[in-house]
Amino acid sequence: MYKKIIVTVDMSSFAKAERILQRAAALADQGGEIIVLNVVEDVPNYIVIDLPQDLVTEAIRSAEEKLVGVCRMMKLTAFVDIRTGPPASCILAAAEEHQADLIIVASHVPNISNYFFGATADRVVRHAKCSVLIERR
């Protein structure tokens, strides 16, 4: 079905990772590629002063370790891509760079704040140049 699938994993809802990775494995072509993507958001400068210097580095290391571990546990061959920056922009850039034909995004049920600020999944759906699957469960 799909040759290259970007699977976005938010470490704050890591429990959903296995389920969306199973979905990606089921949707991938024989020999298809799965890219597991996590985005570590930049910390604003006015907050950085009060935080440990290696906070972002540690978040990247931890995310990579957990994602490689879950892929290994599932016996899933996947490339792990960790980026820093605004989540929606990073997801869209990764999809373009990897020439993905599907992005899978786990999303929560929208609440009132989404109508004012928008969610990452909303932005990805609006601007992606490939198909997007929103996993809601």
Side-chain angles (χ1 to χ4, degrees), residues 37-88:
L37 176 67
N38 173 255
V39 179
V40 176
E41 289 189 68
D42 288 328
V43 180
N45 288 336
Y46 62 89
I47 296 176
V48 169
I49 293 170
D50 295 328
L51 297 174
Q53 288 183 342
D54 63 341
L55 181 72
V56 172
T57 306
E58 179 57 27
I60 291 169
R61 186 203 60 73
S62 175
E64 185 169 15
E65 184 179 288
K66 287 178 181 177
L67 293 172
V68 167
V70 77
C71 289
R72 190 174 296 135
M73 180 197 74
M74 294 176 64
K75 296 180 172 77
L76 178 69
T77 303
F79 173 74
V80 174
D81 186 355
I82 310 290
R83 297 181 182 226
T84 59

Side-chain angles (χ1 to χ4, degrees), residues 60-125:
I60 291 169
R61 186 203 60 73
S62 175
E64 185 169 15
E65 184 179 288
K66 287 178 181 177
L67 293 172
V68 167
V70 77
C71 289
R72 190 174 296 135
M73 180 197 74
M74 294 176 64
K75 296 180 172 77
L76 178 69
T77 303
F79 173 74
V80 174
D81 186 355
I82 310 290
R83 297 181 182 226
T84 59
S89 299
C90 289
I91 293 166
L92 294 167
E96 205 159 305
E97 288 170 28
H98 290 287
Q99 297 177 334
D101 50 357
L102 178 66
I103 301 169
I104 301 178
V105 180
S107 180
H108 62 284
V109 176
N111 60 25
I112 192 70
S113 70
N114 295 111
Y115 295 105
F116 295 112
F117 303 113
T120 298
D122 297 337
R123 290 185 192 109
V124 171
V125 167

